Amino acid sequence: MHQPPATEHLLPYRQHIDQLRDCGHDFWRRGWSLGTSSNYSMVVNRQPLTLLVTASGMDKGHLGINDFVLVDAAGQPTAAGQPKSSAETLLHCAAAEHRQAGCILHTHSVWGTLLSDHYRSQSGILIEGFEMLKGLAGITTHEQSFWLPIYENTQDIPELTSRVVAGWLAPDAPQPAVGFLIRRHGLYAWGTDFAAARRHIEVLEFLLECLGRRSILGTR
Amino acid sequence: MHQPPATEHLLPYRQHIDQLRDCGHDFWRRGWSLGTSSNYSMVVNRQPLTLLVTASGMDKGHLGINDFVLVDAAGQPTAAGQPKSSAETLLHCAAAEHRQAGCILHTHSVWGTLLSDHYRSQSGILIEGFEMLKGLAGITTHEQSFWLPIYENTQDIPELTSRVVAGWLAPDAPQPAVGFLIRRHGLYAWGTDFAAARRHIEVLEFLLECLGRRSILGTR
Amino acid sequence: MHQPPATEHLLPYRQHIDQLRDCGHDFWRRGWSLGTSSNYSMVVNRQPLTLLVTASGMDKGHLGINDFVLVDAAGQPTAAGQPKSSAETLLHCAAAEHRQAGCILHTHSVWGTLLSDHYRSQSGILIEGFEMLKGLAGITTHEQSFWLPIYENTQDIPELTSRVVAGWLAPDAPQPAVGFLIRRHGLYAWGTDFAAARRHIEVLEFLLECLGRRSILGTR
Amino acid sequence: MHQPPATEHLLPYRQHIDQLRDCGHDFWRRGWSLGTSSNYSMVVNRQPLTLLVTASGMDKGHLGINDFVLVDAAGQPTAAGQPKSSAETLLHCAAAEHRQAGCILHTHSVWGTLLSDHYRSQSGILIEGFEMLKGLAGITTHEQSFWLPIYENTQDIPELTSRVVAGWLAPDAPQPAVGFLIRRHGLYAWGTDFAAARRHIEVLEFLLECLGRRSILGTR
């Protein structure tokens, strides 16, 4: 597709942008980022914290090179004239700050939507016994269990962000904290860099599909 | 694939044609437009109303640049020598006229086929509580519910069109009206432009798959 | 992928070959022609009847331009030095002769495998009420029903061919006869040309998926 | 994607590497090699036994030309300075030595994960009656049954390898031995060459999906 040139403030981040565009195309192809759902970000500076975030309302299967916004730690644009950043930008900022994430990806799959509802009374999903868990940073054996928290959905993103951060800061916060679900909304996952974040999304989406299909199959 | 040159009356609409061809290829790849099912259109003029519609019986995965027809508000060809337009052209014209649609897309997916039958006794599907609903124009929170009407299938398209239009013109017509199902036939959705129409298809197909799989999973 | 030049007797049929190669790649991508399952053919001459058939044991996702064989009405090679034609070549010859097929395609999908077993006690599947049926030649309304016969599987292809042909020649043979299932083996479908045969495969695979998922969903 | 040149010791194996890279991309696309799951190998020398194995922790959908390691019969690197080979390298070596495999592929699909658990009490899955079985080397009719053993998962790969080899060397070892499952972990399959190994993976993944969906459909 013909693309206009990148605007000047985005020029230094062209490689990050292309990684997120490719990733968006793949997630869209798989049905994890349909409509204008999902949003993606990368940390491009730590001092001060600066994130490259997808602009609001974009088709993630066909992201243009200018469909991105630079924001600070509070989710505010760092340059004038940028498009509005994704509505859920604050969740990205929080993961970058409190979880040292270098890349944060949000998918909106059928299984993520359904299981975040199916397990809502437990406020999370305990995943254990699967070899695939080893794809999550900090897990070295299938015998280690993983807690994927579920948060109630809301349109009040600052309030949602507070709840998520409170969970991370709690003395008994489950480890590793590499992702969470929002009820009937989907999955957030992150990692130290783009490859780690994408791997975490693939691992967690795979495991959610396993749990959903296992429930239908009736094992155990 | 080698393509003959566009015929003269289609030349001004080459960009619209290529958008619909790409869209058709994607919907076919996903299994939403197999066989020669589905049809797509765009409004290319408002005064007088003129639509570019897919020709009848074409493979939507491999649309050629001449597999399109220009029709007027009554679905009649605006130039001589054109191929026959899709059998359901009148539904496109009605959405363009009564819903101010700029683009109308019809998919024929497995879940659309099944759920339009599963919920037939209710004459529609009430969809609520899903974040994905926000991808529909006019919906700003997951707490807003959406009514997707189901119409009985028929080969009498003028009669079907009358029923659909009567639903829209009724004093208690549900809002927003961005799509409907035909029983055991599939989904129609539209938007102000191509991007909005495609987004509505993706959102509604996603939600139908959610409802179908949730029913099997047994949540609630 | 680098390809050697076509052998001389195949040169006139390069376009047919490329259509079947593209088709094979798509069916493989969808999971309808995995392993070395499936086989495809086109009639390239009527007097005497000559078919271009896929060679035996080839990967249908990556067919080479020489992975094809020319055979006569009895399934015998019409030139020396050709690879062995598909084990089920006689079924192709029979459809070409008795059903005037110009192209015959065989897919081996999960749903075709399962439903040919699920409905075995009825010796076929009655499909009715689906708009998608109109994609089959000879069906003009969703109200027309279609009978998809199921034959017991065997490695004795001449014997299987006799049973299939006997069904077609029976005074009460169901119409239209555009395909059949072999139990736990998959679908054969054909048409007057390549586009019709591929359309019939897509329509029937879609309908089989509908029936399978509907059975799980529990409609009616 | 831009690629650095292959390192010198891998130069002679560029064709093998590209076959495994293409295969990895396809398996990843199908959801059989998500995250950094799966590993693949080819025998590049018999005297002494030398395998080309995927390096540990790589994204199988986007393997680079240097994401491979040369190892000996004991799984030890044959050249200095190579990346770490896959954690499960010993299983590849064992199949190469005891089963004369020329290529060994491991996939990690949803159905392989679930069915290796579903059938764990039987220590394997008896697959019979499917035409697709004929895609396995040594099976010539759908009436021949096939035993797919299931091994309990562990992080102790030498111990797992011993159990697998003991099964092969047992006097009543089932024939043909072209693959096995590890519980909640996935499928190993091999063949005399790359094409045979990939065919075996496709056949077995297809059959696992058939068994899983049949169980849900409730046939028999």
Side-chain angles (χ1 to χ4, degrees):
Chain A
M1 203 161 34
H2 177 72
Q3 292 285 346
T7 56
E8 202 173 332
H9 66 283
L10 293 178
L11 274 179
Y13 311 115
R14 184 58 199 267
Q15 195 184 346
H16 304 75
I17 285 171
D18 284 349
Q19 286 182 311
L20 293 178
R21 291 171 70 211
D22 285 353
C23 183
H25 190 83
D26 176 57
F27 287 178
W28 169 79
R29 181 185 65 78
R30 293 188 193 270
W32 298 350
S33 292
L34 292 176
T36 52
S37 72
S38 300
N39 35 72
Y40 320 132
S41 71
M42 283 202 214
V43 172
V44 295
N45 198 12
R46 278 278 163 199
Q47 303 275 359
L49 186 65
T50 312
L51 288 92
L52 178 81
V53 191
T54 45
S56 181
M58 297 299 161
D59 167 5
K60 301 309 176 299
H62 306 88
L63 284 169
I65 57 177
N66 290 319
D67 293 345
F68 292 85
V69 187
L70 290 173
V71 301
D72 63 20
Q76 295 305 307
T78 62
Q82 300 193 105
K84 197 168 168 298
S85 72
S86 166
E88 291 141 13
T89 296
L90 274 184
L91 288 168
H92 292 255
C93 298
E97 184 177 339
H98 294 285
R99 297 288 100 199
Q100 287 72 51
C103 177
I104 302 100
L105 302 172
H106 167 38
T107 46
H108 198 133
S109 71
V110 168
W111 290 113
T113 300
L114 294 184
L115 295 192
S116 60
D117 201 28
H118 196 68
Y119 289 94
R120 68 189 180 280
S121 64
Q122 302 169 209
S123 299
I125 309 178
L126 189 69
I127 309 179
E128 50 187 350
F130 292 100
E131 178 72 12
M132 186 61 90
L133 282 166
K134 285 174 58 190
L136 301 179
I139 295 195
T140 55
T141 159
H142 63 287
E143 292 173 329
Q144 203 171 334
S145 65
F146 174 75
W147 178 252
L148 183 65
I150 300 170
Y151 293 93
E152 185 59 43
N153 196 21
T154 176
Q155 300 306 318
D156 182 347
I157 301 300
E159 188 273 334
L160 172 57
T161 306
S162 301
R163 276 188 279 138
V164 170
V165 172
W168 289 332
L169 301 180
D172 60 343
Q175 295 297 332
V178 298
F180 59 85
L181 288 166
I182 307 175
R183 185 177 164 223
R184 290 178 163 191
H185 182 154
L187 175 68
Y188 273 84
W190 53 84
T192 51
D193 57 17
F194 168 68
R198 188 176 62 172
R199 191 179 76 234
H200 290 170
I201 287 283
E202 289 188 9
V203 165
L204 292 171
E205 288 289 358
F206 175 90
L207 289 167
L208 290 169
E209 183 173 344
C210 281
L211 295 178
R213 293 196 186 277
R214 184 173 72 177
S215 183
I216 293 167
L217 187 63
T219 296
R220 275 205 264 169
Chain B
M1 205 162 31
H2 177 71
Q3 292 284 345
T7 56
E8 203 173 333
H9 66 282
L10 293 178
L11 274 178
Y13 311 116
R14 183 60 198 264
Q15 195 184 346
H16 303 75
I17 285 172
D18 284 348
Q19 286 181 310
L20 293 179
R21 290 171 70 209
D22 285 353
C23 183
H25 189 84
D26 177 56
F27 287 178
W28 169 80
R29 179 184 67 77
R30 292 188 194 272
W32 298 350
S33 292
L34 292 177
T36 53
S37 72
S38 300
N39 35 71
Y40 320 132
S41 71
M42 283 202 214
V43 171
V44 295
N45 199 12
R46 278 277 162 201
Q47 303 275 0
L49 186 65
T50 312
L51 288 91
L52 177 81
V53 191
T54 45
S56 180
M58 296 299 161
D59 167 5
K60 301 309 176 301
H62 305 89
L63 284 168
I65 59 176
N66 291 318
D67 294 343
F68 292 85
V69 187
L70 290 173
V71 302
D72 64 18
Q76 296 304 307
T78 63
Q82 299 192 104
K84 197 168 168 299
S85 72
S86 166
E88 292 141 14
T89 296
L90 275 184
L91 288 168
H92 292 255
C93 298
E97 184 177 339
H98 294 284
R99 296 288 101 198
Q100 288 73 51
C103 176
I104 302 101
L105 303 172
H106 167 38
T107 46
H108 198 135
S109 71
V110 168
W111 290 112
T113 300
L114 294 185
L115 295 191
S116 61
D117 201 28
H118 196 68
Y119 289 93
R120 69 189 180 280
S121 64
Q122 302 168 207
S123 300
I125 309 177
L126 189 70
I127 309 179
E128 51 188 350
F130 292 100
E131 178 73 12
M132 186 60 90
L133 282 166
K134 285 174 59 191
L136 301 180
I139 294 195
T140 55
T141 158
H142 64 287
E143 292 173 330
Q144 204 170 333
S145 64
F146 174 76
W147 179 251
L148 183 66
I150 300 171
Y151 293 92
E152 185 59 41
N153 195 21
T154 175
Q155 299 308 318
D156 183 346
I157 302 300
E159 188 274 334
L160 173 57
T161 306
S162 302
R163 277 188 279 137
V164 171
V165 172
W168 289 332
L169 301 179
D172 59 345
Q175 294 298 331
V178 298
F180 60 85
L181 289 167
I182 307 176
R183 184 179 164 221
R184 290 178 164 189
H185 181 155
L187 174 69
Y188 273 83
W190 53 85
T192 51
D193 57 16
F194 168 68
R198 188 176 61 172
R199 191 178 77 234
H200 290 170
I201 287 283
E202 289 188 8
V203 165
L204 291 171
E205 288 288 358
F206 175 90
L207 290 167
L208 290 170
E209 183 173 343
C210 282
L211 295 178
R213 293 196 186 276
R214 184 173 72 178
S215 183
I216 293 167
L217 187 62
T219 296
R220 273 205 268 171
Chain C
M1 204 163 29
H2 177 71
Q3 291 285 345
T7 57
E8 204 173 332
H9 67 283
L10 293 178
L11 274 178
Y13 309 115
R14 184 59 197 266
Q15 196 184 343
H16 304 75
I17 285 172
D18 284 348
Q19 285 181 312
L20 293 178
R21 290 171 70 210
D22 284 354
C23 183
H25 190 84
D26 177 56
F27 287 177
W28 169 80
R29 180 185 66 78
R30 292 188 194 271
W32 298 350
S33 292
L34 293 177
T36 52
S37 71
S38 300
N39 35 71
Y40 319 133
S41 71
M42 283 203 214
V43 171
V44 295
N45 199 13
R46 278 277 163 201
Q47 303 275 359
L49 185 65
T50 312
L51 288 92
L52 178 80
V53 192
T54 44
S56 179
M58 296 299 161
D59 167 5
K60 301 310 176 301
H62 305 89
L63 284 169
I65 57 175
N66 290 318
D67 293 344
F68 292 85
V69 186
L70 290 173
V71 302
D72 64 19
Q76 296 304 307
T78 63
Q82 298 192 104
K84 198 169 167 297
S85 72
S86 165
E88 291 141 14
T89 296
L90 274 184
L91 288 168
H92 292 256
C93 297
E97 184 178 339
H98 294 285
R99 296 290 99 198
Q100 288 72 51
C103 177
I104 302 101
L105 302 172
H106 167 39
T107 46
H108 198 134
S109 71
V110 167
W111 290 112
T113 300
L114 295 184
L115 295 191
S116 60
D117 200 30
H118 196 67
Y119 289 94
R120 68 188 181 279
S121 64
Q122 302 169 207
S123 299
I125 309 178
L126 189 70
I127 309 179
E128 52 187 350
F130 292 100
E131 178 73 11
M132 186 60 90
L133 283 166
K134 286 174 58 192
L136 301 180
I139 294 195
T140 55
T141 159
H142 64 287
E143 292 172 330
Q144 203 171 334
S145 64
F146 174 76
W147 178 252
L148 183 66
I150 299 170
Y151 293 93
E152 185 59 41
N153 195 21
T154 176
Q155 299 307 318
D156 183 346
I157 302 300
E159 188 274 335
L160 172 58
T161 306
S162 301
R163 278 188 278 138
V164 171
V165 172
W168 289 332
L169 301 180
D172 59 344
Q175 294 296 332
V178 299
F180 59 85
L181 288 167
I182 307 176
R183 185 178 164 222
R184 290 178 163 189
H185 181 155
L187 174 68
Y188 272 82
W190 54 86
T192 51
D193 57 16
F194 168 68
R198 188 176 61 172
R199 191 179 75 236
H200 289 169
I201 287 283
E202 288 188 8
V203 165
L204 292 171
E205 289 288 357
F206 175 90
L207 290 167
L208 290 170
E209 183 173 344
C210 282
L211 294 179
R213 292 195 186 277
R214 184 173 71 178
S215 184
I216 294 167
L217 187 62
T219 296
R220 274 206 259 167
Chain D
M1 201 162 34
H2 176 71
Q3 291 285 346
T7 56
E8 203 173 331
H9 66 283
L10 292 178
L11 274 179
Y13 310 115
R14 185 56 197 267
Q15 196 185 343
H16 304 75
I17 285 172
D18 284 348
Q19 286 182 311
L20 293 178
R21 291 170 70 210
D22 284 354
C23 183
H25 190 83
D26 177 57
F27 287 177
W28 169 79
R29 181 186 64 79
R30 293 189 194 270
W32 298 350
S33 293
L34 292 175
T36 52
S37 72
S38 301
N39 35 70
Y40 319 132
S41 71
M42 283 203 215
V43 171
V44 294
N45 198 12
R46 278 278 164 201
Q47 302 276 0
L49 187 64
T50 312
L51 288 92
L52 178 80
V53 191
T54 44
S56 180
M58 296 300 160
D59 166 5
K60 301 310 176 298
H62 305 88
L63 284 169
I65 57 176
N66 290 318
D67 293 344
F68 292 85
V69 187
L70 289 173
V71 301
D72 63 19
Q76 295 304 308
T78 63
Q82 299 191 106
K84 197 168 167 296
S85 72
S86 165
E88 291 141 13
T89 296
L90 275 184
L91 288 168
H92 291 256
C93 297
E97 184 177 339
H98 294 285
R99 295 289 98 200
Q100 287 72 51
C103 176
I104 302 102
L105 302 172
H106 167 39
T107 45
H108 198 134
S109 71
V110 168
W111 290 113
T113 300
L114 294 184
L115 295 192
S116 60
D117 201 29
H118 197 67
Y119 289 94
R120 67 187 180 281
S121 64
Q122 302 169 208
S123 300
I125 309 177
L126 189 70
I127 309 179
E128 50 187 351
F130 292 100
E131 177 72 12
M132 187 60 90
L133 282 166
K134 285 174 58 191
L136 301 180
I139 295 195
T140 55
T141 160
H142 63 288
E143 292 171 331
Q144 203 172 334
S145 64
F146 174 75
W147 178 252
L148 184 65
I150 300 171
Y151 293 92
E152 185 59 42
N153 195 21
T154 177
Q155 299 309 317
D156 183 346
I157 302 301
E159 188 274 334
L160 172 57
T161 306
S162 301
R163 276 188 280 138
V164 171
V165 172
W168 288 333
L169 300 180
D172 59 344
Q175 294 297 332
V178 298
F180 59 85
L181 289 167
I182 307 175
R183 185 176 164 224
R184 291 178 163 190
H185 182 154
L187 175 68
Y188 272 82
W190 54 85
T192 50
D193 57 16
F194 168 68
R198 188 176 61 172
R199 192 179 77 234
H200 289 169
I201 286 283
E202 288 188 9
V203 165
L204 292 171
E205 288 288 358
F206 175 90
L207 289 167
L208 290 170
E209 183 172 343
C210 281
L211 295 179
R213 293 195 186 277
R214 185 174 71 178
S215 183
I216 293 167
L217 188 62
T219 296
R220 273 205 269 170

